[in-house]
Amino acid sequence: MTDTETVDETPAARAARFRAEAAARGIPAAEVEAYIRTARPAVYLAEDGPGPVVALTGGNPPLPEGAPAPVAAFVAAVDCAALPPGATDLPLPTEGLLLFFADPDPGSGAVVADAVRYVPAGTLSAERRVDPDGGPDTYRRARLDFCFHQWSWPWREEDDDEESQRAAELESAWSHVVGWRPHWRFQLGGEPVLFNWDPVEVARDEVPLPVADGDEWTLLATWRGEDDCEELEAGLFHWVIRRADLAALRFDRVYVYVDAF
C-alpha cells in the first residue's frame, strides 16, 4: 500500500480488510469484534508526512490581537480544518486553530487553565515574540504533516497467558493490514503512548469526576518533545480533557502531564 493510499483509506475500509485478515488466520469473529470495540481512532502527524500540513510546532504562538500572553511555552498550533472528518472519536472543532502550551517539567501533572486555546476561523492573528527575559521557553520550529490515522488500543503489560497471545495475534493481523505507524511527532485522540504512567489514569486519580456526571477524561493530544525540546532527552507531553469540555470548547480544565525518562 502506498503512502497516499494509507492517508486516503477510510476507517471502514480498514476494518473490512482487518476482519478478512483475521478470518484468514482463523481468529474467531467474536474476538475480532470485541477487539475492534476497544479501539479508538487517532491521527498522527510527522515531519514530511504524505498528507497536508496540519500543525506547526515551536517558535512563537499565533495569537489574536489583545490576547493575553501565554504562561507556558508554545508547543503547537493545529489546523482543525486540515483533519479528515471522523479521523478521531473526539468532538473536535471542524475549523479554527487549537494552540497547545506546556513547560518541560517531567513527572508533573496538573489542571492548567491556559494549556490549550481555541482560535476561531477567520480570527486575525499574528505570531507574538516570546520574551526571552522571564518568558516561557521556545521550542524548535517544525512543520507537521498528516501521516497516518488508525485505531489504537490501551497499553497493556506483556504476558505469556493465552489472552495476551491472542491479543498479540490480533495486533499482528492489524499491522499486516495497515502497516506500521511512521515516526510521528504529534497525536490527536486515541490511546496514549507512555514511558511510565498513563496520563488519563493519572487525571482520573488526581481529579475524580462526580459519579452522576456521566463525563470522562480522555486523551486530547500527545507531543513527542525529542530534539524540539532541549531540556528533555525524551519527553511525552500529554493534554487530557473532559469530553464535554472539549465539545463546549471549554479549555480551562485541561490536565497536562509530562512523562519522561
Side-chain angles (χ1 to χ4, degrees), residues 128-166:
R128 184 179 302 176
R129 181 175 177 271
V130 175
D131 181 3
D133 298 324
D137 294 330
T138 301
Y139 301 123
R140 182 179 71 86
R141 188 67 181 265
R143 186 189 81 173
L144 299 183
D145 306 330
F146 182 75
C147 70
F148 211 62
H149 65 93
Q150 73 160 33
W151 300 332
S152 65
W153 285 268
W155 182 86
R156 58 183 176 79
E157 295 277 1
E158 292 294 332
D159 204 337
D160 293 330
D161 62 23
E162 183 177 348
E163 181 179 352
S164 294
Q165 291 176 8
R166 180 50 57 88

Side-chain angles (χ1 to χ4, degrees), residues 91-93 95 98 118 120 241 243-252:
L92 293 169
E95 57 183 7
L98 283 176
Y118 176 63
I241 193 170
R243 296 185 67 87
D245 283 345
L246 177 57
L249 299 179
R250 178 176 176 175
F251 297 106
D252 61 330

Side-chain angles (χ1 to χ4, degrees), residues 57-72:
T57 65
N60 299 315
L63 297 174
E65 183 178 355
V71 297

Side-chain angles (χ1 to χ4, degrees), residues 31 48 57 68 76 118 135 154 158 165 183-184 191 206 225 228 245-246 249 255:
E31 294 186 14
D48 300 321
T57 65
Y118 176 63
E158 292 294 332
Q165 291 176 8
H183 185 70
W184 56 271
E191 296 288 345
E206 295 292 329
D228 294 350
D245 283 345
L246 177 57
L249 299 179
Y255 192 89

Side-chain angles (χ1 to χ4, degrees), residues 15 32 60 70 85 91-92 101 111-112 156 169 174 180 192 207 229 256-257:
V32 174
N60 299 315
L92 293 169
F101 302 87
V111 172
V112 181
R156 58 183 176 79
E169 189 175 358
W174 174 254
W180 296 97
V207 192
C229 178
V256 180
Y257 186 77

Side-chain angles (χ1 to χ4, degrees), residues 3-248:
D3 288 340
T4 301
E5 289 170 335
T6 300
V7 170
D8 293 340
E9 187 181 27
T10 65
R14 289 185 174 189
R17 293 197 301 114
F18 171 55
R19 290 185 176 97
E21 176 64 23
R25 298 183 181 212
I27 303 175
E31 294 186 14
V32 174
E33 296 308 314
Y35 190 70
I36 290 175
R37 284 194 296 271
T38 66
R40 294 193 56 213
V43 165
Y44 300 92
L45 310 179
E47 295 185 53
D48 300 321
V53 178
V54 176
L56 296 175
T57 65
N60 299 315
L63 297 174
E65 183 178 355
V71 297
F74 171 63
V75 173
V78 174
D79 181 3
C80 297
L83 297 171
T88 77
D89 62 356
L90 297 174
L92 293 169
T94 57
E95 57 183 7
L97 297 177
L98 283 176
L99 308 183
F100 293 85
F101 302 87
D103 289 324
D105 187 7
S108 64
V111 172
V112 181
D114 197 33
V116 179
R117 296 187 188 184
Y118 176 63
V119 180
T123 303
L124 184 61
S125 301
E127 288 192 8
R128 184 179 302 176
R129 181 175 177 271
V130 175
D131 181 3
D133 298 324
D137 294 330
T138 301
Y139 301 123
R140 182 179 71 86
R141 188 67 181 265
R143 186 189 81 173
L144 299 183
D145 306 330
F146 182 75
C147 70
F148 211 62
H149 65 93
Q150 73 160 33
W151 300 332
S152 65
W153 285 268
W155 182 86
R156 58 183 176 79
E157 295 277 1
E158 292 294 332
D159 204 337
D160 293 330
D161 62 23
E162 183 177 348
E163 181 179 352
S164 294
Q165 291 176 8
R166 180 50 57 88
E169 189 175 358
L170 284 160
E171 289 172 5
S172 174
W174 174 254
S175 297
H176 178 79
V177 166
V178 304
W180 296 97
R181 282 175 293 184
H183 185 70
W184 56 271
R185 301 302 305 279
F186 202 89
Q187 171 187 344
L188 286 164
E191 296 288 345
V193 296
L194 53 137
F195 294 142
N196 300 295
W197 305 105
D198 184 326
V200 178
E201 292 296 333
V202 173
R204 289 171 181 163
D205 292 340
E206 295 292 329
V207 192
L209 300 174
V211 174
D213 192 300
D215 199 3
E216 62 177 348
W217 289 104
T218 190
L219 180 71
L220 173 58
T222 295
W223 177 55
R224 294 181 187 268
E226 298 186 341
D227 294 339
D228 294 350
C229 178
E230 297 179 354
E231 291 85 352
L232 300 177
E233 179 180 351
L236 292 169
F237 294 64
H238 304 282
W239 293 264
V240 182
I241 193 170
R242 297 174 58 162
R243 296 185 67 87
D245 283 345
L246 177 57

